[in-house]
Amino acid sequence: MEFETKAIHIGQEPDPTTGATITPIYQTSTFTQDGLGKHKGYEYSRTGNPTRFALETALASLENGKYGLCFASGLAATTTILCLLKSGDEIVAGDDLYGGTIRLFNRVFSNFNIKTIYVDCKDPKNFESAITPKTKLIWLETPTNPMLRLCDIKSIGGIAKQKKIMLCVDNTFASPYFQQPLDLGADMVVHSTTKYLGGHSDVVGGAIILNDKDIYEKIKFYQNAIGGTPGPFDSWLVLRGIKTLAVRMKKHEENAMKVAEFLEKHPKIKKVNYPGLKSHPQYELAKKQMSGFGGMISFEVNGDKEATKKIVESTELFALAESLGGVESLINHPFTMTHVGVPAEHKARLGIVENLIRLSVGIEDTNDLINDLKKALES
Ligand code: P1T
């Protein structure tokens, strides 16, 4: 079955009790049992809920995975994976990650004596060199937030397998429509479903998809034991979102490509980061491991913080907001917004400078978006 069909049908068969074509929102915290030890598969909604289960099943199929597990946010999903580790263990992570993920590694899990070593994510050899006998997990995002760099999943997956270390890929930026990390050798995929999967900026959620039964059993235990699960309505919103993921991603990409080309030619722009541009240093890798380049762009403006501030405050269609992946276009200043908590030297090393702007290109009319940016750049 092809991606578009799976997104609409897998896990979403007509409701067995009523025939409802669309998966109902089972807005209940608990399930009445027929007798002691006799129930219809559900007991309590933290442990399991039919609307959430439909979403978990659908997401597993979209990532070509056997198992899916959903969470109340992307960070709740990440937290649950990190609970597989023990005090003294180490994580080797790509250096360019969502600021909240870095905050979780540096300021929460470090308190439990779990150390994260960040490496330049562009070269797989850097992951290999940083591995020690204590390394239990390799963590990466690709494309990265906000620099749009790539990590070679297949090569890093080979290193992880050889060293018997788990590899987790945050696939939020590409979405499963453009990239399927499990097929490239990752052990786990994590998503902020808040983004492209939900697709409408109206829900916060997360997911983990994987193939290994033992790791699945452990994470499922932690999902219930820790309790960072999404409610039925939030699960339903993401389920509705993924039905149109394929058509949305095509338009996000079409718009982003044209916006990136426009920005690259503009005299006020110093540098554009978009994996679909031939000028991107990892363009060949992008073509190899992704089936499309996505809707995220970042760029450096010629000029100082004030010039940058003026641009992000002048767009009318691009809303100045955190988050990404919704149908509407957003503009973000990583230095003071999404990546504000990243230590200064870490930001400097990555190039998260004061004149860096990030765009989540929506699915509005292409020319309207370009005109909006043109006006803001000339303001
Ligand atoms: O916000 P939440 O659903 O908890 O997801 C966290 C997260 C995880 N991974 C990536 C790649 C992300 O981009 C995010 C959240 N990012 C933003 C809010 C942002 O504006 O970049």
Side-chain angles (χ1 to χ4, degrees):
M1 200 184 279
E2 296 302 319
F3 189 94
E4 285 84 343
T5 316
K6 291 200 278 188
I8 292 169
H9 292 284
I10 299 292
Q12 302 163 76
E13 294 76 21
D15 181 51
T17 47
T18 63
T21 308
I22 297 303
T23 307
I25 304 164
Y26 281 91
Q27 193 68 40
T28 182
S29 60
T30 193
F31 297 83
T32 302
Q33 311 203 359
D34 297 332
L36 278 184
K38 283 194 240 157
H39 57 77
K40 298 182 173 71
Y42 295 96
E43 296 158 85
Y44 185 60
S45 277
R46 168 164 37 72
T47 320
N49 175 283
T51 315
R52 186 177 98 208
F53 183 66
L55 176 63
E56 293 176 331
T57 309
L59 287 177
S61 86
L62 295 185
E63 286 284 4
N64 289 335
K66 285 200 187 121
Y67 309 106
L69 291 157
C70 285
F71 295 86
S73 67
L75 286 181
T78 301
T79 298
T80 308
I81 292 175
L82 295 192
C83 288
L84 294 171
L85 306 189
K86 294 193 176 64
S87 170
D89 289 347
E90 288 179 1
I91 303 166
V92 173
D95 50 1
D96 192 18
L97 302 174
Y98 166 56
T101 306
I102 294 177
R103 182 179 57 202
L104 182 65
F105 289 175
N106 289 1
R107 295 180 55 192
V108 180
F109 280 90
S110 61
N111 296 332
F112 300 98
N113 193 27
I114 292 170
K115 187 174 156 196
T116 305
I117 294 122
Y118 296 96
V119 297
D120 179 342
C121 67
K122 298 190 295 301
D123 187 351
K125 286 200 204 91
N126 295 334
F127 288 87
E128 189 159 24
S129 321
I131 290 170
T132 74
K134 294 179 179 171
T135 311
K136 293 288 150 39
L137 177 67
I138 296 179
W139 189 278
L140 49 93
E141 275 177 24
T142 181
T144 62
N145 182 0
M147 301 309 289
L148 280 302
R149 290 181 184 140
L150 301 192
C151 308
D152 184 334
I153 302 173
K154 210 170 190 170
S155 300
I156 300 166
I159 295 165
K161 187 156 259 139
Q162 198 206 343
K163 305 264 187 189
K164 297 192 168 54
I165 294 167
M166 288 181 292
L167 169 63
C168 181
V169 175
D170 183 331
N171 200 26
T172 299
F173 265 37
S175 92
Y177 184 66
F178 284 139
Q179 179 171 271
Q180 294 171 330
L182 296 179
D183 291 349
L184 295 168
D187 297 299
M188 278 178 272
V189 166
V190 71
H191 275 285
S192 167
T193 58
T194 316
K195 312 294 172 355
Y196 289 108
L197 293 165
H200 297 76
S201 304
D202 52 12
V203 61
V204 172
I208 301 168
I209 300 104
L210 72 169
N211 280 317
D212 184 281
K213 189 162 187 284
D214 288 343
I215 307 178
Y216 164 71
E217 301 280 353
K218 280 187 191 152
I219 299 180
K220 190 165 170 51
F221 169 77
Y222 284 131
Q223 180 194 40
N224 181 50
I226 296 165
T229 50
F233 183 51
D234 285 358
S235 301
W236 185 87
L237 283 171
V238 179
L239 196 58
R240 185 172 66 164
I242 64 170
K243 288 175 194 283
T244 55
L245 181 67
V247 285
R248 284 187 284 108
M249 291 314 292
K250 283 184 209 160
K251 181 67 175 161
H252 280 296
E253 186 196 33
E254 185 192 320
N255 278 354
M257 184 64 94
K258 291 195 176 133
V259 167
E261 285 167 351
F262 158 76
L263 291 171
E264 201 168 41
K265 287 197 209 103
H266 199 284
K268 282 209 179 155
I269 307 297
K270 195 163 154 194
K271 184 166 180 268
V272 182
N273 307 311
Y274 181 63
L277 288 176
K278 294 211 175 68
S279 59
H280 190 290
Q282 295 169 295
Y283 175 66
E284 290 305 321
L285 175 60
K287 278 202 296 186
K288 204 167 84 184
Q289 76 178 12
M290 301 172 76
S291 58
F293 306 110
M296 296 300 296
I297 300 173
S298 62
F299 61 97
E300 257 181 74
V301 177
N302 278 320
D304 58 5
K305 189 182 167 189
E306 274 315 299
T308 311
K309 183 172 182 295
K310 203 160 173 203
I311 295 167
V312 300
E313 289 178 355
S314 303
T315 51
E316 284 169 13
L317 292 176
F318 282 85
L320 179 59
E322 308 215 2
S323 204
L324 58 112
V327 291
E328 67 292 306
S329 293
L330 303 179
I331 193 162
N332 164 56
H333 186 234
F335 194 88
T336 55
M337 294 168 72
T338 47
H339 291 71
V340 68
V342 177
E345 53 76 29
H346 191 146
K347 275 200 285 217
R349 192 158 22 96
L350 287 172
I352 304 178
V353 286
E354 288 191 284
N355 53 341
L356 182 80
I357 294 177
R358 191 189 75 182
L359 299 179
S360 171
V361 182
I363 64 169
E364 301 96 331
D365 176 78
T366 324
N367 290 329
D368 285 341
L369 293 181
I370 291 178
N371 287 335
D372 192 36
L373 290 169
K374 203 184 271 173
K375 265 203 283 178
L377 285 165
E378 276 147 32
S379 63

